[in-house]
Amino acid sequence: MRLLVFSARDYDRRYLDLANHARSQPHAIDYTDAHLSADTAALAAGYEAVCVFVNDRLDADVLARLHRGGTRLLLLRCAGFNQLDVPAAIAQGLQIARVPAYSPHAVAEHAVALLLSLNRHLHRAFNRTRENDFRLDGLEGFDLYGKTVGVIGAGRIGAAFAGIMLGFGCRVCIHDPLPLPADLLARGATATTLPDLLAASDVISLHCPLTPATHHVIDRRALSQMRAGVTLINTSRGGLLDTRAVIAALKAGRIGALGLDVYEQEEQLFFDDHSSSVVTDDVLQRLLTFPNVVVTGHQGFFTREALATIAETTLRNLDDYASGQLALSPNRLPLN
Ligand code: NAI
């Protein structure tokens, strides 16, 4: 099967080639570092399958162009699918598969890394000690032990994050429309409403998907309900936060610290090197000026284990499509 991989970086090629060469019948894979958009969709002409990542554009126009070029299968090498117009893809007769669970631990551990970096000011200590400045002023943190951690969304990643926080000796409260995993309840986690979680938590971490219902779930009103000095972590999707409202809360001192791995307008910036150009996104640039904000460029998934699983599952989805088995796969979209 001919596959074109969009937004391909060196690590994508490495892990996909490794998984492909291990197959008895390898696929014919080509790579382009171009992001998928209306301007680049023509590159896929003649490829029955295309593979895309989180910031590729998959709107109705792009999907129609792909279909005209002969594409019939979309392979998302990610868990989230908010970038895809699913009804438009179905209308075009495209089949869709994703990688729903490659390593929830990778993202959960990255959320913890952001939390610890912010709380113990590691990002500032790193710069200080490199300048032989060993003062501690301004680096005071707080014990996580005994603090209340609110988790919004306890699916695979949120549950892994909640489990780690329970191990730190935190009180963990969770908001999720679905029943909570029994093991978390047995370990002392509690289910709560969103307003109660906002009011009670010293730390809040977002792990729900971006949908119309969760867009800007953290807005000015939600921020006003939080404890003053709250630490807010978002490794899920940028659109969950109203970034301008968050900046206002940082300026007012209501947010004590903010850790982001995702950003509302990230598709213009993330995964590429802009260090030699003028970045015109004033909202992100303002965020980067705060001493109590750490931003990483959507690297929560970026571990060896996750990359290997993403590559293997993506090619297994392609195998399933080639053998007519994709309809039976739990990785196919839409969900039902
Ligand atoms: P999942 O589908 O296992 O869990 C999502 C949970 O959110 C479900 O339990 C669901 O009931 C809950 N939820 C849905 N609506 C909600 C609402 N309004 N309030 C509270 N909870 C709600 O998904 P998984 O694998 O845990 O991934 C979560 C998100 O993490 C993905 O949607 C994606 O956006 C993000 N992600 C980020 C990565 C990164 O590299 N930073 C990598 C992978 C995923």
Side-chain angles (χ1 to χ4, degrees), residues 100 102 107 152-158 175-178 207-209 214 235-237 261 298 300-301:
Y102 40 86
V107 187
I152 302 179
R156 285 167 282 243
I157 296 170
H175 172 64
D176 193 305
L178 297 179
H207 299 288
C208 57
T214 60
T235 57
S236 194
R237 284 293 180 266
D261 188 45
H298 208 135
F301 72 99

Side-chain angles (χ1 to χ4, degrees), residues 206-265:
L206 289 150
H207 299 288
C208 57
L210 176 61
T211 65
T214 60
H215 180 252
H216 285 186
V217 63
I218 303 301
D219 58 5
R220 198 156 58 90
R221 185 156 171 273
L223 288 160
S224 72
Q225 294 174 272
M226 293 179 192
R227 284 189 172 183
V230 65
T231 298
L232 188 58
I233 307 290
N234 185 12
T235 57
S236 194
R237 284 293 180 266
L240 297 176
L241 299 188
D242 177 345
T243 315
R244 289 174 195 276
V246 166
I247 288 174
L250 280 162
K251 285 164 82 172
R254 286 201 54 78
I255 294 180
L258 174 70
L260 298 181
D261 188 45
V262 286
Y263 169 60
E264 273 188 289
Q265 311 300 335

Side-chain angles (χ1 to χ4, degrees), residues 145-216:
Y145 179 85
K147 295 295 184 298
T148 300
V149 175
V151 181
I152 302 179
R156 285 167 282 243
I157 296 170
F161 176 81
I164 297 170
M165 291 293 98
L166 286 166
F168 271 70
C170 298
R171 281 193 292 268
V172 172
C173 60
I174 299 174
H175 172 64
D176 193 305
L178 297 179
L180 299 193
D183 63 315
L184 289 179
L185 291 173
R187 291 175 64 190
T190 53
T192 183
T193 62
L194 185 59
D196 285 349
L197 179 150
L198 298 176
S201 301
D202 302 293
V203 173
I204 296 174
S205 193
L206 289 150
H207 299 288
C208 57
L210 176 61
T211 65
T214 60
H215 180 252
H216 285 186

Side-chain angles (χ1 to χ4, degrees), residues 50-68:
V50 301
C51 178
V52 295
F53 196 46
V54 290
N55 290 332
D56 288 308
R57 186 170 286 276
L58 293 161
D59 59 21
D61 177 31
V62 171
L63 296 170
R65 287 169 192 257
L66 289 177
H67 189 268
R68 278 200 296 277

